[in-house]
Amino acid sequence: MSKQSSSEPGNIDQEAKAELEKLKELMGPVPEEARQEDFIVEDQLTISNSRQLDPTDAAIESIVVEESNTVLDIVDASQENVVSQKRNNSLKALFGSKKARVFLVVGMVLFVVAFISYPTTRYMVLNTVGAKASASVSVLDDTTGQPLRSVSVSIAGEEVKTDSNGIARFEDINLGKTTLNINKVAYAESTEPITIGWGSNPLGERSLVATGIQLSYRVSDWLTSKPVERAEISSGENSVYTDESGIAVLTIEDNDSETVNVSISKNGFRTEIQKKPINEKDRSEVVLVAAAPIVFFSKRDGTFDLYQIDADGKNEKLLVKGTGAEREDMTLAVSENNKHVAFVSSRSAKRNTDGFILDGLFLYDSQTNTPVEISNSEQIRIIGWVEDSVIFVKVKSGLSAADPAREQLLSYDASSKNSHLLGESNQFNDIALMGGKVIVAESNTYGENKDVSVYTIDANETNKQVVLNSQAWTLLRTSYDQLTMSSPNNTWYGYKTGAEKVEKIESPASVPRDRRYVTNPSEKKSTWFDYRDGKGVIVVWDVEQKKDTVLYSAGGLITPFRWLNDTYVVLRQSSLTETADYVISVEGGSPVKVVDVVDIDTDGNRNFY
């Protein structure tokens, strides 16, 4: 009975479980390699396929397998919990401790510093993220120490030429190790390894050793005999600049020629071309003279002819041949930049309906070597030049003096060929040029102009601005940037360059003398005339230092005059026997006579001293 009852399923399960517990105790912990599910499944299949079990054994086997898998799942879950708990405990220990956090941050900083300190890695990363640097190098002649122009310099695959100061500048180049290469004809090539770091990378000076033929020069000023600094000596691609002593050594390539053409030039001076023997060892002496010519009228051939001549008396040229119809009341005005020549003449012999000969305003065209008439009238008065525009007043034919539009203030741009109407009045009390502006004092002499004013306007007819809402009799230039205006009832006003309005001032003890300033091309110096001790005086105003210096004093001086460059001033002097143009330098010395001229007006407001 007992055997029979033990074979029932319920009893079998209980017995199997009991046997399993005993088996677990005997087997001990499950080995690591036995915990893989695929091993258990494979073993189960192997057992099932290899033998046929009786029902009791099969039930036990099934229970064992199932219980084993359950145990393994519990063990795996337990181990994962242990690992996760350890990880959480580690992170909590790491970030929960202030010391640990500091240690971690310091470690990270040290890692970054070490990473950046390693040049190859640092530059590679910076270049990858688009970081760029700049660099500069100065290239000199090894013999003279003078800067070399147009030298080919290459860094990191970029090539530039040195400027007039011998400096090559690079922008947006890669960082890291690279090569600096310097190359110029007639010089030994220079190559060296360099490292481009973050920032500007000033590489200092590099000297090139000359391998070609060297020619020595000394350049001086024709008028003062003083050395000319920064004059350029050049031949082909090779050039060099003179030092403060006017000395330079030019290096050229040895190409088996017997002679070489060398150019000596400086801004504002006439370029000199010299053919120099290659084997000549002596230093060549070169003098430079102002580039702009003196323009004048001469009557040497019986008519009023327009000429030009260089300050040293060379290169005289007939510009405009007279027609014989010219009156002696001519006016000549050369622009301050020496680009344009305007003159008023009756040379066209045009007449109005009453038979009165008309004045014509002419511009000399250097391209066609002909005078171009831009306007004509019964009377034309040149006020002066504002850059490329000649400012003039034209009296309209057929109108009475009381007509409010009888006089027209006009400008003509010699470059653009455009004309502009700057104002109309029955007459203009005065007109002045200052600070690049035209300053106009309208007249109400005949009572026809009700709203007269003093206003400023640009030469191109723009930016008109009223500075005084009443009439002014005179506009007197009392300093470089100051006008003094006299008005009715002995009222005086002052106007400063760029101001929006005039300011009322005290009446001066005597009428101020009008100064007609003429400024040099660089606008750093300006000259004006004064009258002292019975003589005319040329005074030079230094724009930057705001200081006057007497340049020359003599009787018979005629105003105005003009500059040929930044240092040469043309003046006119008249005596009982002659009228001549002279040239003088603001850097010293005495005037030098250039040429005899016809005594004519040069801006419509001539004065003798």
Side-chain angles (χ1 to χ4, degrees):
M1 292 292 294
S2 59
K3 289 183 180 179
Q4 194 175 17
S5 61
S6 63
S7 62
E8 295 179 0
N11 294 332
I12 295 174
D13 290 343
Q14 294 297 324
E15 293 176 359
K17 288 182 178 179
E19 292 294 333
L20 179 61
E21 291 299 328
K22 293 180 180 181
L23 180 62
K24 287 182 180 179
E25 292 179 3
L26 293 173
M27 292 177 62
V30 180
E32 184 70 24
E33 59 271 17
R35 294 176 185 175
Q36 301 299 324
E37 184 177 353
D38 54 348
F39 172 80
I40 295 172
V41 172
E42 180 180 357
D43 187 60
Q44 180 182 359
L45 293 174
T46 303
I47 294 173
S48 300
N49 293 333
S50 60
R51 57 188 175 89
Q52 295 294 324
L53 301 176
D54 60 38
T56 301
D57 293 338
I60 295 174
E61 187 78 19
S62 175
I63 293 172
V64 170
V65 171
E66 181 180 352
E67 291 295 329
S68 298
N69 289 338
T70 302
V71 171
L72 290 177
D73 289 342
I74 294 173
V75 172
D76 288 343
S78 176
Q79 287 186 340
E80 288 181 1
N81 290 334
V82 171
V83 172
S84 176
Q85 185 64 36
K86 287 182 178 180
R87 184 185 301 113
N88 292 336
N89 291 338
S90 298
L91 292 175
K92 187 179 295 184
L94 177 63
F95 293 102
S97 170
K98 182 178 180 180
K99 290 183 179 181
R101 290 197 302 270
V102 171
F103 179 79
L104 179 63
V105 172
V106 171
M108 293 178 65
V109 171
L110 291 176
F111 175 78
V112 172
V113 170
F115 181 81
I116 294 177
S117 299
Y118 189 63
T120 302
T121 307
R122 177 176 71 246
Y123 296 137
M124 178 186 66
V125 172
L126 290 174
N127 290 331
T128 301
V129 299
K132 297 291 183 180
S134 61
S136 62
V137 61
S138 176
V139 183
L140 309 177
D141 183 290
D142 183 66
T143 304
T144 65
Q146 292 296 303
L148 293 176
R149 179 185 176 187
S150 298
V151 179
S152 296
V153 182
S154 62
I155 296 176
E158 300 291 332
E159 181 177 338
V160 300
K161 298 280 189 179
T162 56
D163 60 18
S164 59
N165 296 312
I167 299 175
R169 292 180 173 85
F170 294 81
E171 301 292 340
D172 297 330
I173 57 177
N174 287 333
L175 288 73
K177 292 184 178 181
T178 185
T179 300
L180 169 65
N181 180 267
I182 306 175
N183 187 24
K184 185 173 178 62
V185 174
Y187 286 86
E189 184 176 4
S190 173
T191 302
E192 63 176 290
I194 60 171
T195 299
I196 298 298
W198 187 275
S200 58
N201 295 281
L203 301 177
E205 297 178 347
R206 299 294 190 278
S207 295
L208 292 186
V209 178
T211 59
I213 297 173
Q214 293 191 313
L215 307 175
S216 180
Y217 286 86
R218 181 183 183 275
V219 182
S220 59
D221 183 281
W222 169 81
L223 194 54
T224 65
S225 298
K226 293 182 178 180
V228 176
E229 187 178 2
R230 296 291 296 172
E232 184 179 11
I233 317 293
S234 62
S235 179
E237 296 182 357
N238 293 71
S239 65
V240 70
Y241 289 90
T242 55
D243 60 15
E244 65 276 5
S245 301
I247 296 174
V249 176
L250 175 67
T251 301
I252 60 174
E253 188 176 14
D254 187 359
N255 56 7
D256 297 328
S257 299
E258 294 183 358
T259 60
V260 61
N261 290 329
V262 178
S263 172
I264 304 96
S265 62
K266 185 178 181 179
N267 185 40
F269 288 85
R270 186 179 67 202
T271 298
E272 303 294 335
I273 305 296
Q274 184 185 81
K275 180 173 286 188
K276 188 176 178 69
I278 290 293
N279 57 1
E280 184 176 323
K281 302 301 182 182
D282 295 336
R283 176 176 293 161
S284 296
E285 299 287 337
V286 179
V287 294
L288 295 183
V289 68
I294 296 173
V295 181
F296 63 97
F297 275 104
S298 174
K299 207 174 180 182
R300 67 183 69 165
D301 295 327
T303 58
F304 287 94
D305 303 326
L306 185 66
Y307 283 87
Q308 72 175 27
I309 190 172
D310 289 349
D312 58 355
K314 297 180 179 179
N315 302 319
E316 185 177 83
K317 179 183 179 181
L318 175 64
L319 301 180
V320 179
K321 179 65 180 174
T323 64
E326 295 89 354
R327 297 195 306 263
E328 291 191 1
D329 58 343
M330 301 171 66
T331 303
L332 174 66
V334 182
S335 62
E336 289 188 357
N337 58 20
N338 292 307
K339 293 181 180 179
H340 312 288
V341 178
F343 63 93
V344 175
S345 172
S346 59
R347 60 178 282 109
S348 296
K350 295 179 180 179
R351 299 177 182 272
N352 62 11
T353 56
D354 297 327
F356 183 80
I357 193 166
L358 301 177
D359 280 338
L361 176 61
F362 296 86
L363 284 178
Y364 171 72
D365 190 330
S366 60
Q367 301 297 321
T368 61
N369 292 322
T370 57
V372 178
E373 188 174 21
I374 62 174
S375 185
N376 61 71
S377 176
E378 293 176 1
Q379 184 182 355
I380 293 179
R381 183 171 80 254
I382 295 178
I383 305 302
W385 286 86
V386 176
E387 296 182 349
D388 292 329
S389 294
V390 59
I391 314 299
F392 64 99
V393 172
K394 172 183 176 179
V395 178
K396 296 174 68 174
S397 301
L399 298 182
S400 67
D403 192 289
R406 180 172 182 266
E407 289 192 357
Q408 290 183 320
L409 176 62
L410 300 156
S411 70
Y412 182 83
D413 190 308
S415 295
S416 67
K417 308 295 190 283
N418 294 324
S419 60
H420 301 277
L421 178 64
L422 306 182
E424 289 183 322
S425 182
N426 53 45
Q427 71 179 46
F428 293 99
N429 286 337
D430 208 349
I431 301 169
L433 306 178
M434 184 175 73
K437 296 281 188 178
V438 183
I439 307 170
V440 185
E442 297 176 306
S443 172
N444 193 27
T445 302
Y446 297 95
E448 300 295 331
N449 293 350
K450 303 300 182 182
D451 300 320
V452 297
S453 64
V454 178
Y455 63 88
T456 65
I457 192 169
D458 290 344
N460 62 358
E461 202 179 341
T462 61
N463 300 320
K464 181 177 179 179
Q465 181 175 343
V466 175
V467 296
L468 178 63
N469 287 302
S470 64
Q471 189 171 208
W473 299 128
T474 59
L475 305 176
L476 304 173
R477 188 93 174 260
T478 51
S479 68
Y480 182 73
D481 56 1
Q482 181 81 31
L483 278 178
T484 300
M485 306 179 185
S486 64
S487 298
N489 302 321
N490 198 32
T491 304
W492 291 81
Y493 297 93
Y495 173 75
K496 195 174 183 65
T497 299
E500 295 183 357
K501 296 291 182 180
V502 300
E503 293 183 357
K504 193 173 182 179
I505 61 175
E506 294 184 2
S507 300
S510 60
V511 177
R513 181 180 296 278
D514 185 29
R515 301 178 180 182
R516 296 188 174 272
Y517 283 85
V518 183
T519 305
N520 67 359
S522 69
E523 299 183 351
K524 293 183 177 181
K525 295 183 184 296
S526 192
T527 45
W528 59 280
F529 268 110
D530 200 5
Y531 184 68
R532 304 173 186 177
D533 300 326
K535 296 181 179 181
V537 180
I538 300 177
V539 184
V540 178
W541 170 256
D542 190 302
V543 177
E544 295 178 344
Q545 298 183 7
K546 302 186 182 304
K547 179 182 178 182
D548 277 330
T549 303
V550 173
L551 178 64
Y552 180 66
S553 177
L557 292 179
I558 303 173
T559 63
F561 45 87
R562 69 186 187 93
W563 296 77
L564 296 182
N565 59 15
D566 281 341
T567 58
Y568 282 35
V569 179
V570 177
L571 60 92
R572 183 164 293 178
Q573 195 164 353
S574 182
S575 67
L576 296 176
T577 58
E578 66 175 13
T579 299
D581 280 353
Y582 291 74
V583 63
I584 189 173
S585 174
V586 294
E587 294 183 346
S590 301
V592 175
K593 178 181 175 180
V594 182
V595 65
D596 291 325
V597 302
V598 173
D599 181 15
I600 67 167
D601 195 354
T602 51
D603 77 339
N605 294 279
R606 185 181 64 184
N607 294 309
F608 292 86
Y609 295 117

